[in-house]
Amino acid sequence: MRHQVRKNNLNMERSRKKLMLTNMVTSLILNDKIKTTRARAKALQPLVEKIINDAKKPNKVMAIRNASATLHSEVASKKLIEELVKRYQGRPSGYTRIVKLGHRAGDAAPMVQIELIA
């Protein structure tokens, strides 16, 4: 039973949502910030936190394998392993920030910018 279990499906099927979120994780790691809707940013935030935490673990071979399995770009996985792990070495969690930007003109969807904290 699913009592009290809240999961946002973003109004799309599971495979499409997974592909969209992995694309967004890759874009966020490559560009350090992306502009999206609030619901998508809130669904994206735990995935980014988990990928960075896994990359910080001492077993680098597994970190590289997990990063390349999740991310769609070798450049993104290389940046994750080389740059972001060093940047967040002393930080236990909280690698992302969501900043509200207002509403989109077409459908009034709440827009936010999700960014990696420097």
Side-chain angles (χ1 to χ4, degrees):
M1 290 187 214
R2 297 192 68 238
H3 296 303
Q4 300 279 329
V5 177
R6 306 278 184 238
K7 195 172 247 191
N8 190 355
N9 64 355
L10 299 175
N11 202 18
M12 59 182 78
E13 58 196 35
R14 185 178 181 184
S15 60
R16 184 173 168 221
K17 182 178 95 169
K18 181 181 176 186
L19 187 61
M20 180 203 59
L21 288 174
T22 54
N23 283 333
M24 289 176 72
V25 169
T26 304
S27 297
L28 182 62
I29 288 175
L30 285 175
N31 302 321
D32 285 342
K33 59 184 171 182
I34 56 173
K35 189 169 121 177
T36 184
T37 62
R38 186 173 60 213
R40 288 181 179 187
K42 285 187 175 187
L44 175 68
Q45 198 169 21
L47 298 175
V48 174
E49 302 277 337
K50 185 178 185 321
I51 285 178
I52 294 174
N53 273 336
D54 288 345
K56 283 172 55 178
K57 291 182 180 172
N59 190 353
K60 291 298 176 190
V61 174
M62 277 310 292
I64 292 169
R65 285 181 184 166
N66 289 338
S68 61
T70 305
L71 303 175
H72 293 297
S73 168
E74 287 184 24
V75 177
S77 58
K78 193 172 196 176
K79 181 178 178 182
L80 173 68
I81 299 298
E82 293 176 358
E83 292 179 28
L84 296 181
V85 169
K86 291 177 187 171
R87 186 192 303 179
Y88 299 124
Q89 197 60 45
R91 188 178 193 98
S93 66
Y95 311 115
T96 58
R97 173 188 304 133
I98 295 178
V99 180
K100 293 180 182 179
L101 297 176
H103 294 280
R104 187 163 49 199
D107 59 353
M111 297 300 288
V112 297
Q113 178 173 312
I114 183 167
E115 55 191 20
L116 293 173
I117 296 176

